[in-house]
Amino acid sequence: MAFIDYSKHEISCKLVYCGPGLSGKTTNIVRIFQSVQPDSRGELVSLYTSFKRTLFFDFLPIDLGDIAGFKVRFHLYSVPGQACYAAVRRLVFRGADGLVFVADSGRERMDANLEAVRDLYENMEFYNYSVSEMPLVFQLNKRDLEDANSADYLKEELCTPGAPVFEASSYQNIGVRETFMEAGRRVMAWVREGLDKDFSE
Ligand SMILES: Nc1nc2c(ncn2[C@@H]2O[C@H](COP(=O)(O)OP(=O)(O)O)[C@@H](O)[C@H]2O)c(=O)[nH]1
Ligand SMILES: [Mg+2]
């Protein structure tokens, strides 16, 4: 649910990186953080010290444009992927304007990917996010692994038909920006549509 700050003339959008534990969600966010000018980004924060793997930061991407003359600030979150943190994950999903699913290409991580996809759909249902409308982008990460599952197989098993899919090696910073930019564009289109609806009612 995008938040409008009239005093700063900014709209804040929440983009949540999800996926199984250790698939590279934090690495994606750290890479994006490193690529943003320090004066247009906030701090990189670990949300809960006892859940060390949940990360957050916000920034103003310069190349995604504005919404109705408002600057757009993106708040990027990574959920803790481990099954035991379901309650924290549900909280992080709340109010999301878009989702990036980071899949792990490692052969032995397929069950974890499938469980994380199930968890994602459960959370979307819980919050009434429409599967056909909510911005959702898939990233097949760790393409550099020797034992990587084929991209076609991962796509077939994990990705929502019609959703964009990017291959990545996030620790080499390959595919990270492309994934974010596509998610960002979709989030902005979605937020614009939502605002148009609000104003026409
Ligand atoms: N081989 C490989 N390892 C990666 C890649 N991206 C992340 N990793 C490693 O996977 C581990 C988990 O990454 P992290 O970002 O903490 O995963 P998270 O639990 O999803 O946040 C770390 O050791 C990363 O260095 C990648 O593209 N290829
Ligand atoms: Mg993490």
Side-chain angles (χ1 to χ4, degrees), residues 18-81:
C18 60
L22 303 178
S23 68
K25 301 175 291 296
T26 295
T27 309
N28 266 270
I29 291 187
V30 169
R31 289 284 176 255
I32 296 169
F33 180 80
Q34 288 166 341
S35 72
V36 174
Q37 292 292 336
D39 57 358
S40 71
R41 72 184 187 205
E43 299 277 303
L44 188 62
V45 186
S46 235
L47 266 186
Y48 309 96
T49 44
S50 51
F51 299 110
K52 289 196 184 64
R53 297 216 199 114
T54 299
L55 261 196
F56 161 80
F57 87 106
D58 65 281
F59 71 111
L60 287 159
I62 40 167
D63 31 15
L64 278 170
D66 61 67
I67 294 179
F70 284 75
K71 284 183 284 183
V72 179
R73 180 172 290 275
F74 271 87
H75 295 248
L76 264 54
Y77 289 78
S78 72
V79 304

Side-chain angles (χ1 to χ4, degrees), residues 84-198:
C84 54
Y85 295 146
V88 185
R89 200 157 46 240
R90 174 149 290 176
L91 275 177
V92 179
F93 275 120
R94 186 166 158 183
D97 297 299
L99 304 162
V100 174
F101 185 91
V102 180
D104 193 322
S105 300
R107 202 157 288 264
E108 75 291 357
R109 296 300 288 160
M110 204 52 196
D111 286 346
N113 284 328
L114 288 165
E115 195 188 324
V117 167
R118 268 197 301 276
D119 180 90
L120 167 65
Y121 277 114
E122 261 174 48
N123 275 299
M124 289 182 75
E125 202 180 321
F126 181 82
Y127 287 118
N128 284 323
Y129 299 152
S130 153
V131 174
S132 57
E133 290 171 26
M134 177 89 170
L136 172 60
V137 171
F138 288 84
Q139 182 186 79
L140 311 179
N141 193 31
K142 306 195 185 180
R143 297 308 302 154
D144 57 283
L145 289 178
E146 266 176 30
D147 74 338
N149 275 311
S150 81
D152 282 345
Y153 172 63
L154 290 164
K155 220 167 142 173
E156 180 70 30
E157 293 293 318
L158 304 173
C159 303
T160 311
V165 183
F166 293 89
E167 296 190 30
S169 174
S170 64
Y171 82 157
Q172 298 175 88
N173 206 7
I174 296 171
V176 170
R177 183 185 146 80
E178 291 77 0
T179 306
F180 167 72
M181 289 297 284
E182 182 61 26
R185 273 192 290 271
R186 283 170 183 256
V187 165
M188 288 187 48
W190 200 62
V191 170
R192 269 194 203 104
E193 247 175 60
L195 289 179
D196 285 347
K197 265 188 217 147
D198 284 352

